[in-house]
Amino acid sequence: MTAPHFHAHYAHWPKRLPKRIDPPQTALPHNLLVSAERFGAKTALAFLGAEFSYDQLLDKVERLATWLVSVGVNKGDRVILCMQNCPQLVMAHWAILRANAVVVPVKLSFIMGFHCIAKVFITSGSQLLWWYSSSSPSSWSFTALPRYLSPVAD
């Protein structure tokens, strides 16, 4: 039974908006495939003067997803994604989903040393840490560190 106050906010709900949303029947990576088919050469990402089309985004995502699988990421594995806001963050996020893994987003400023990294790594049950930090757009790259840490005491 639903608590009486659960739907109390409906009294203030905008009439033009549905009170229920049915999730799509497709997975997010499939939606990217459909978008690339529909919009191909149109811009999917724009960042600091660099533009990536849907076709380019899909190509990068497919390559990165293939790489993830090649380094041992399996369906359902958790992958920590720790990056600045940049196109590579979007590409990595989509690639993790495309590899049928689970994204564990971690804000870059949260990571303040090995102990914090180890704690997040252990408590999330992640299999991989995908880390990127650079202030120079010309040095964008991806680095992965396979799981090697043991539990860390508080």
Side-chain angles (χ1 to χ4, degrees):
M1 183 169 143
T2 307
H5 65 278
F6 183 75
H7 297 291
H9 63 285
Y10 283 163
H12 307 286
W13 198 265
K15 291 186 187 328
R16 70 184 191 289
L17 297 178
K19 293 179 181 162
R20 179 175 166 224
I21 299 174
D22 294 321
Q25 298 298 311
T26 58
L28 285 174
H30 176 75
N31 296 343
L32 179 59
L33 288 169
V34 171
S35 293
E37 288 173 9
R38 288 179 65 192
F39 305 114
K42 290 187 178 180
T43 301
L45 298 172
F47 183 76
L48 298 178
E51 291 186 357
F52 298 88
S53 70
Y54 282 92
D55 286 337
Q56 290 171 321
L57 176 60
L58 179 61
D59 179 62
K60 300 277 189 196
V61 166
E62 292 291 329
R63 289 172 185 255
L64 292 169
T66 301
W67 174 77
L68 283 168
V69 171
S70 77
V71 297
V73 173
N74 297 309
K75 182 178 181 177
D77 283 351
R78 293 177 184 92
V79 177
I80 295 175
L81 184 56
C82 184
M83 294 185 185
Q84 301 171 17
N85 289 339
C86 62
Q88 286 76 5
L89 171 68
V90 175
M91 293 171 193
H93 190 106
W94 279 103
I96 293 167
L97 296 176
R98 181 72 175 108
N100 291 313
V102 178
V103 179
V104 179
V106 175
K107 189 174 178 180
L108 197 58
S109 61
F110 174 75
I111 302 297
M112 296 187 186
F114 183 78
H115 182 76
C116 285
I117 295 169
K119 187 163 185 149
V120 170
F121 202 76
I122 301 297
T123 57
S124 70
S126 293
Q127 301 301 314
L128 191 74
L129 168 63
W130 204 340
W131 174 295
Y132 165 76
S133 175
S134 175
S135 57
S136 171
S138 63
S139 64
W140 284 337
S141 62
F142 294 100
T143 305
L145 303 175
R147 183 174 189 152
Y148 67 93
L149 302 171
S150 58
V152 177
D154 286 324

Coordinates of all heavy atoms in Angstrom, one line a residue, residues 62-131:
E62 N 32.1 2.8 -30.1 CA 32.3 1.4 -30.5 C 33.7 1.0 -30.2 O 34.0 -0.1 -29.7 CB 31.9 1.2 -32.0 CG 30.4 1.4 -32.2 CD 29.6 0.3 -31.6 OE1 30.1 -0.9 -31.5 OE2 28.4 0.5 -31.3
R63 N 34.7 1.8 -30.6 CA 36.1 1.5 -30.4 C 36.4 1.3 -28.9 O 37.1 0.4 -28.5 CB 37.0 2.5 -31.1 CG 37.0 2.5 -32.6 CD 37.8 3.7 -33.1 NE 37.7 3.8 -34.5 CZ 38.7 3.4 -35.3 NH1 39.8 3.0 -34.9 NH2 38.5 3.5 -36.6
L64 N 35.9 2.3 -28.1 CA 36.2 2.3 -26.7 C 35.5 1.1 -26.0 O 36.1 0.5 -25.1 CB 35.8 3.6 -26.1 CG 36.7 4.8 -26.5 CD1 36.0 6.1 -26.0 CD2 38.1 4.7 -25.9
A65 N 34.3 0.8 -26.4 CA 33.6 -0.4 -25.9 C 34.3 -1.7 -26.2 O 34.5 -2.5 -25.3 CB 32.2 -0.4 -26.4
T66 N 34.8 -1.8 -27.4 CA 35.6 -2.9 -27.8 C 36.9 -3.1 -27.0 O 37.2 -4.1 -26.5 CB 36.0 -2.9 -29.3 OG1 34.8 -2.8 -30.1 CG2 36.8 -4.1 -29.7
W67 N 37.5 -1.9 -26.7 CA 38.7 -1.9 -25.9 C 38.3 -2.4 -24.4 O 39.1 -3.2 -23.8 CB 39.3 -0.5 -25.9 CG 40.5 -0.4 -24.9 CD1 41.7 -0.9 -25.1 CD2 40.4 0.1 -23.6 NE1 42.5 -0.6 -23.9 CE2 41.7 0.0 -23.0 CE3 39.4 0.8 -22.8 CZ2 42.0 0.5 -21.8 CZ3 39.7 1.2 -21.6 CH2 41.0 1.1 -21.1
L68 N 37.2 -1.9 -23.9 CA 36.8 -2.3 -22.6 C 36.7 -3.8 -22.4 O 37.1 -4.4 -21.5 CB 35.5 -1.6 -22.2 CG 35.6 -0.1 -21.7 CD1 34.2 0.5 -21.7 CD2 36.3 0.0 -20.4
V69 N 36.0 -4.3 -23.4 CA 35.8 -5.8 -23.4 C 37.1 -6.5 -23.5 O 37.4 -7.5 -22.9 CB 34.8 -6.2 -24.5 CG1 34.8 -7.7 -24.7 CG2 33.4 -5.6 -24.3
S70 N 38.0 -6.0 -24.3 CA 39.3 -6.6 -24.5 C 40.2 -6.6 -23.3 O 41.1 -7.5 -23.1 CB 40.1 -6.0 -25.7 OG 40.7 -4.7 -25.3
V71 N 40.0 -5.6 -22.4 CA 40.8 -5.6 -21.1 C 40.0 -6.3 -20.0 O 40.5 -6.2 -18.9 CB 41.1 -4.1 -20.7 CG1 42.0 -3.5 -21.7 CG2 39.9 -3.3 -20.4
G72 N 38.9 -7.0 -20.3 CA 38.3 -7.8 -19.4 C 37.0 -7.3 -18.7 O 36.5 -7.9 -17.7
V73 N 36.5 -6.2 -19.2 CA 35.2 -5.7 -18.6 C 34.1 -6.6 -19.1 O 33.9 -6.8 -20.4 CB 35.0 -4.3 -19.0 CG1 33.6 -3.8 -18.6 CG2 36.0 -3.4 -18.4
N74 N 33.3 -7.2 -18.2 CA 32.2 -8.1 -18.6 C 30.9 -7.4 -18.3 O 30.8 -6.4 -17.6 CB 32.3 -9.4 -17.8 CG 33.6 -10.2 -18.1 OD1 33.9 -10.4 -19.3 ND2 34.3 -10.5 -17.1
K75 N 29.8 -8.1 -18.8 CA 28.5 -7.6 -18.6 C 28.2 -7.4 -17.1 O 28.5 -8.4 -16.3 CB 27.5 -8.6 -19.2 CG 26.0 -8.1 -19.1 CD 25.1 -9.1 -19.7 CE 23.6 -8.6 -19.6 NZ 22.7 -9.4 -20.3
G76 N 27.7 -6.3 -16.7 CA 27.4 -6.0 -15.3 C 28.5 -5.5 -14.5 O 28.3 -5.1 -13.3
D77 N 29.8 -5.6 -15.0 CA 30.9 -5.0 -14.2 C 30.7 -3.5 -14.0 O 30.2 -2.8 -14.8 CB 32.2 -5.2 -14.9 CG 32.7 -6.7 -14.8 OD1 32.1 -7.5 -14.1 OD2 33.7 -7.0 -15.5
R78 N 31.2 -3.0 -12.9 CA 31.2 -1.6 -12.6 C 32.5 -1.0 -13.0 O 33.5 -1.5 -12.7 CB 30.9 -1.4 -11.1 CG 29.5 -1.8 -10.7 CD 29.4 -1.6 -9.2 NE 28.1 -2.1 -8.7 CZ 27.9 -3.3 -8.3 NH1 28.9 -4.2 -8.2 NH2 26.7 -3.7 -7.9
V79 N 32.4 0.2 -13.7 CA 33.6 0.9 -14.1 C 33.5 2.3 -13.5 O 32.5 3.0 -13.8 CB 33.6 0.9 -15.6 CG1 34.9 1.7 -16.1 CG2 33.7 -0.5 -16.2
I80 N 34.4 2.7 -12.7 CA 34.5 4.0 -12.2 C 34.9 5.0 -13.3 O 35.9 4.7 -14.0 CB 35.5 4.2 -11.0 CG1 35.0 3.3 -9.8 CG2 35.7 5.6 -10.6 CD1 36.0 3.3 -8.7
L81 N 34.2 6.0 -13.5 CA 34.5 7.0 -14.5 C 34.8 8.3 -13.8 O 33.9 8.9 -13.2 CB 33.3 7.2 -15.5 CG 33.5 8.1 -16.7 CD1 34.7 7.7 -17.5 CD2 32.2 8.1 -17.5
C82 N 36.0 8.7 -13.9 CA 36.5 9.9 -13.2 C 37.1 10.9 -14.2 O 38.3 10.7 -14.5 CB 37.4 9.5 -12.1 SG 38.0 10.8 -11.0
M83 N 36.4 11.8 -14.7 CA 36.9 12.7 -15.7 C 36.3 14.1 -15.5 O 35.3 14.3 -14.9 CB 36.5 12.2 -17.1 CG 37.1 11.0 -17.5 SD 36.7 10.7 -19.2 CE 37.4 9.0 -19.4
Q84 N 37.0 15.1 -16.2 CA 36.4 16.4 -16.2 C 35.3 16.4 -17.2 O 35.1 15.5 -18.0 CB 37.5 17.4 -16.7 CG 38.7 17.4 -15.9 CD 39.8 18.3 -16.5 OE1 39.6 19.0 -17.4 NE2 41.0 18.1 -16.0
N85 N 34.5 17.5 -17.2 CA 33.5 17.6 -18.3 C 34.1 17.9 -19.6 O 34.7 19.0 -19.8 CB 32.5 18.8 -17.9 CG 31.6 18.4 -16.7 OD1 31.4 17.2 -16.4 ND2 31.1 19.4 -16.1
C86 N 34.1 17.0 -20.5 CA 34.7 17.1 -21.8 C 34.1 16.0 -22.7 O 33.4 15.1 -22.2 CB 36.2 16.9 -21.7 SG 36.7 15.3 -21.1
P87 N 34.3 16.1 -24.0 CA 33.7 15.0 -24.9 C 34.1 13.6 -24.5 O 33.4 12.7 -24.7 CB 34.3 15.4 -26.3 CG 34.5 16.9 -26.2 CD 35.0 17.1 -24.8
Q88 N 35.4 13.4 -24.0 CA 35.8 12.1 -23.6 C 35.0 11.5 -22.5 O 34.8 10.3 -22.4 CB 37.3 12.2 -23.2 CG 38.2 12.3 -24.4 CD 38.3 13.7 -25.0 OE1 37.7 14.7 -24.4 NE2 39.0 13.9 -26.1
L89 N 34.4 12.4 -21.6 CA 33.5 11.9 -20.6 C 32.3 11.3 -21.2 O 31.9 10.2 -20.8 CB 33.2 13.0 -19.6 CG 32.1 12.7 -18.6 CD1 32.6 11.7 -17.6 CD2 31.6 14.0 -17.9
V90 N 31.7 12.0 -22.2 CA 30.5 11.5 -22.9 C 30.8 10.2 -23.6 O 30.1 9.2 -23.5 CB 30.0 12.5 -23.8 CG1 28.8 12.0 -24.6 CG2 29.6 13.8 -23.1
M91 N 32.0 10.2 -24.3 CA 32.3 9.0 -25.1 C 32.6 7.8 -24.1 O 32.1 6.7 -24.4 CB 33.6 9.3 -25.9 CG 33.4 10.3 -27.0 SD 35.0 10.7 -27.7 CE 34.5 12.1 -28.7
A92 N 33.3 8.0 -23.1 CA 33.6 6.9 -22.1 C 32.3 6.4 -21.5 O 32.1 5.2 -21.3 CB 34.5 7.4 -21.0
H93 N 31.4 7.3 -21.1 CA 30.1 6.9 -20.5 C 29.3 6.0 -21.4 O 28.9 5.0 -21.0 CB 29.3 8.2 -20.1 CG 28.1 7.9 -19.3 ND1 28.1 8.3 -18.0 CD2 26.9 7.4 -19.6 CE1 26.9 7.9 -17.5 NE2 26.2 7.4 -18.4
W94 N 29.2 6.5 -22.7 CA 28.5 5.7 -23.7 C 29.2 4.3 -23.9 O 28.5 3.3 -24.1 CB 28.3 6.4 -25.0 CG 27.2 7.4 -25.0 CD1 27.3 8.8 -24.9 CD2 25.8 7.1 -25.2 NE1 26.1 9.4 -25.0 CE2 25.2 8.4 -25.1 CE3 25.1 6.0 -25.3 CZ2 23.8 8.5 -25.3 CZ3 23.7 6.1 -25.5 CH2 23.1 7.3 -25.4
A95 N 30.5 4.3 -24.0 CA 31.3 3.1 -24.2 C 31.1 2.1 -23.1 O 30.9 0.9 -23.3 CB 32.8 3.4 -24.4
I96 N 31.0 2.6 -21.9 CA 30.8 1.7 -20.7 C 29.4 1.0 -20.9 O 29.3 -0.2 -20.7 CB 31.0 2.4 -19.4 CG1 32.4 2.8 -19.2 CG2 30.5 1.5 -18.2 CD1 32.6 3.9 -18.1
L97 N 28.4 1.8 -21.2 CA 27.1 1.3 -21.4 C 27.1 0.3 -22.6 O 26.4 -0.8 -22.5 CB 26.1 2.4 -21.6 CG 25.9 3.4 -20.5 CD1 24.9 4.5 -20.9 CD2 25.4 2.7 -19.2
R98 N 27.8 0.6 -23.6 CA 27.8 -0.2 -24.8 C 28.5 -1.5 -24.5 O 28.1 -2.6 -25.1 CB 28.5 0.5 -26.0 CG 28.6 -0.3 -27.3 CD 27.3 -0.3 -27.9 NE 27.4 -0.9 -29.2 CZ 26.9 -2.1 -29.5 NH1 26.2 -2.8 -28.6 NH2 27.0 -2.6 -30.7
A99 N 29.4 -1.6 -23.6 CA 30.1 -2.8 -23.2 C 29.2 -3.6 -22.2 O 29.7 -4.6 -21.6 CB 31.4 -2.5 -22.6
N100 N 28.0 -3.1 -22.0 CA 27.0 -3.7 -21.0 C 27.5 -3.7 -19.6 O 27.2 -4.6 -18.8 CB 26.7 -5.2 -21.4 CG 25.9 -5.2 -22.7 OD1 24.9 -4.5 -22.8 ND2 26.3 -6.1 -23.6
A101 N 28.3 -2.7 -19.3 CA 28.8 -2.5 -17.9 C 28.0 -1.4 -17.3 O 27.2 -0.7 -17.9 CB 30.3 -2.2 -18.0
V102 N 28.3 -1.1 -16.0 CA 27.6 -0.1 -15.2 C 28.6 1.1 -14.9 O 29.7 0.9 -14.5 CB 27.2 -0.7 -13.9 CG1 26.5 0.3 -13.0 CG2 26.3 -1.9 -14.1
V103 N 28.1 2.3 -15.2 CA 28.9 3.5 -15.0 C 28.8 3.9 -13.5 O 27.7 4.0 -12.9 CB 28.5 4.7 -15.8 CG1 29.3 5.9 -15.6 CG2 28.5 4.3 -17.3
V104 N 30.0 4.1 -12.9 CA 30.1 4.6 -11.5 C 30.7 6.0 -11.6 O 32.0 6.1 -11.6 CB 30.9 3.7 -10.6 CG1 31.0 4.3 -9.2 CG2 30.3 2.3 -10.6
P105 N 29.9 7.0 -11.8 CA 30.5 8.4 -12.0 C 31.1 8.9 -10.6 O 30.5 8.8 -9.6 CB 29.3 9.2 -12.4 CG 28.1 8.5 -11.9 CD 28.5 7.1 -11.8
V106 N 32.3 9.4 -10.7 CA 32.9 10.0 -9.6 C 33.4 11.4 -10.0 O 34.2 11.5 -11.0 CB 34.1 9.2 -9.1 CG1 34.8 9.8 -7.9 CG2 33.6 7.8 -8.6
K107 N 33.0 12.4 -9.2 CA 33.5 13.8 -9.5 C 35.0 13.9 -9.3 O 35.5 13.4 -8.3 CB 32.7 14.7 -8.6 CG 32.9 16.2 -8.9 CD 32.0 17.0 -8.0 CE 32.2 18.5 -8.3 NZ 31.4 19.3 -7.5
L108 N 35.6 14.5 -10.3 CA 37.1 14.6 -10.2 C 37.6 15.2 -9.0 O 38.6 14.8 -8.4 CB 37.6 15.3 -11.5 CG 39.1 15.2 -11.9 CD1 39.4 13.7 -12.1 CD2 39.4 16.0 -13.1
S109 N 36.9 16.3 -8.5 CA 37.4 17.0 -7.3 C 37.2 16.2 -6.1 O 37.8 16.5 -5.0 CB 36.6 18.3 -7.2 OG 35.2 18.1 -7.0
F110 N 36.4 15.1 -6.1 CA 36.2 14.2 -5.0 C 37.5 13.4 -4.7 O 37.8 13.0 -3.6 CB 35.0 13.3 -5.2 CG 34.8 12.3 -4.1 CD1 34.3 12.6 -2.9 CD2 35.2 10.9 -4.3 CE1 34.2 11.7 -1.8 CE2 35.0 10.0 -3.3 CZ 34.5 10.4 -2.1
I111 N 38.2 13.0 -5.8 CA 39.3 12.2 -5.6 C 40.5 13.0 -5.1 O 41.0 13.9 -5.8 CB 39.7 11.5 -7.0 CG1 38.6 10.7 -7.5 CG2 41.0 10.7 -6.9 CD1 38.2 9.5 -6.7
M112 N 40.9 12.8 -3.9 CA 41.9 13.6 -3.2 C 43.1 12.7 -2.7 O 43.7 13.0 -1.7 CB 41.3 14.4 -2.1 CG 40.3 15.3 -2.5 SD 39.8 16.3 -1.1 CE 38.5 17.3 -1.8
G113 N 43.4 11.7 -3.4 CA 44.5 10.9 -3.0 C 44.2 9.4 -3.2 O 43.1 9.0 -3.4
F114 N 45.2 8.6 -3.0 CA 45.1 7.2 -3.1 C 44.1 6.5 -2.2 O 43.3 5.7 -2.6 CB 46.5 6.5 -2.9 CG 46.4 5.0 -3.2 CD1 46.5 4.5 -4.4 CD2 46.4 4.1 -2.1 CE1 46.5 3.2 -4.7 CE2 46.4 2.8 -2.3 CZ 46.4 2.3 -3.6
H115 N 44.0 7.0 -1.0 CA 43.0 6.4 0.0 C 41.6 6.6 -0.5 O 40.8 5.7 -0.5 CB 43.2 7.0 1.4 CG 42.3 6.4 2.4 ND1 42.5 5.2 2.9 CD2 41.2 6.9 2.9 CE1 41.6 4.9 3.8 NE2 40.7 5.9 3.8
C116 N 41.3 7.8 -1.0 CA 39.9 8.1 -1.5 C 39.6 7.2 -2.8 O 38.6 6.6 -2.9 CB 39.8 9.5 -1.9 SG 39.6 10.6 -0.5
I117 N 40.6 7.1 -3.7 CA 40.4 6.3 -4.8 C 40.2 4.8 -4.4 O 39.3 4.2 -4.9 CB 41.7 6.4 -5.8 CG1 41.8 7.8 -6.3 CG2 41.5 5.4 -6.9 CD1 43.1 8.1 -7.0
A118 N 41.0 4.3 -3.5 CA 40.9 3.0 -3.1 C 39.5 2.7 -2.4 O 38.9 1.7 -2.7 CB 42.0 2.6 -2.1
K119 N 39.1 3.6 -1.6 CA 37.8 3.4 -0.9 C 36.6 3.4 -1.9 O 35.8 2.5 -1.8 CB 37.6 4.5 0.1 CG 36.4 4.3 1.0 CD 36.5 5.2 2.2 CE 35.3 4.8 3.1 NZ 35.5 5.0 4.5
V120 N 36.6 4.3 -2.9 CA 35.5 4.3 -3.9 C 35.6 3.0 -4.7 O 34.6 2.4 -5.0 CB 35.6 5.5 -4.8 CG1 34.7 5.4 -6.0 CG2 35.4 6.8 -4.0
F121 N 36.8 2.6 -5.0 CA 37.0 1.4 -5.9 C 36.5 0.2 -5.1 O 35.8 -0.6 -5.7 CB 38.5 1.3 -6.1 CG 38.9 0.5 -7.3 CD1 38.8 1.0 -8.6 CD2 39.4 -0.8 -7.1 CE1 39.1 0.3 -9.7 CE2 39.7 -1.5 -8.3 CZ 39.6 -1.0 -9.5
I122 N 36.8 0.1 -3.9 CA 36.4 -1.1 -3.1 C 34.9 -1.1 -2.8 O 34.2 -2.1 -3.0 CB 37.2 -1.2 -1.8 CG1 38.7 -1.3 -2.0 CG2 36.7 -2.4 -0.9 CD1 39.2 -2.5 -2.8
T123 N 34.4 0.0 -2.3 CA 33.0 0.1 -1.9 C 32.0 0.0 -3.1 O 30.9 -0.5 -2.9 CB 32.7 1.4 -1.1 OG1 33.0 2.5 -1.9 CG2 33.4 1.4 0.2
S124 N 32.5 0.4 -4.3 CA 31.6 0.3 -5.4 C 31.6 -1.1 -6.1 O 30.8 -1.4 -6.9 CB 31.9 1.4 -6.5 OG 33.2 1.1 -7.1
G125 N 32.6 -1.8 -5.7 CA 32.8 -3.2 -6.4 C 33.2 -3.1 -7.8 O 33.0 -3.9 -8.6
S126 N 33.9 -2.0 -8.2 CA 34.3 -1.7 -9.5 C 35.4 -2.7 -10.0 O 36.2 -3.1 -9.2 CB 34.7 -0.3 -9.7 OG 33.6 0.6 -9.6
Q127 N 35.4 -2.9 -11.3 CA 36.4 -3.8 -11.9 C 37.5 -2.9 -12.6 O 38.5 -3.4 -12.9 CB 35.8 -4.7 -12.9 CG 34.7 -5.6 -12.3 CD 35.3 -6.5 -11.2 OE1 36.4 -7.1 -11.4 NE2 34.6 -6.5 -10.1
L128 N 37.2 -1.6 -12.8 CA 38.1 -0.8 -13.6 C 37.9 0.6 -13.2 O 36.8 1.1 -12.8 CB 37.7 -1.0 -15.1 CG 38.7 -0.4 -16.1 CD1 39.9 -1.3 -16.2 CD2 38.0 -0.3 -17.5
L129 N 39.0 1.4 -13.2 CA 39.0 2.8 -12.9 C 39.4 3.5 -14.2 O 40.5 3.3 -14.7 CB 40.0 3.2 -11.8 CG 40.3 4.6 -11.6 CD1 39.0 5.4 -11.2 CD2 41.3 4.8 -10.5
W130 N 38.5 4.2 -14.8 CA 38.8 5.0 -16.0 C 39.0 6.4 -15.6 O 38.1 7.1 -15.3 CB 37.6 4.8 -17.0 CG 38.0 5.0 -18.4 CD1 39.1 5.7 -18.9 CD2 37.3 4.6 -19.5 NE1 39.1 5.6 -20.3 CE2 38.0 5.0 -20.7 CE3 36.1 3.9 -19.7 CZ2 37.5 4.7 -22.0 CZ3 35.6 3.6 -21.0 CH2 36.4 4.0 -22.1
W131 N 40.2 6.9 -15.7 CA 40.6 8.1 -15.2 C 41.2 9.0 -16.2 O 41.9 8.6 -17.1 CB 41.7 7.8 -14.2 CG 42.4 8.9 -13.5 CD1 43.2 9.8 -14.1 CD2 42.5 9.2 -12.1 NE1 43.7 10.6 -13.2 CE2 43.3 10.3 -12.0 CE3 41.9 8.6 -11.0 CZ2 43.5 10.8 -10.7 CZ3 42.1 9.1 -9.8 CH2 42.9 10.2 -9.6

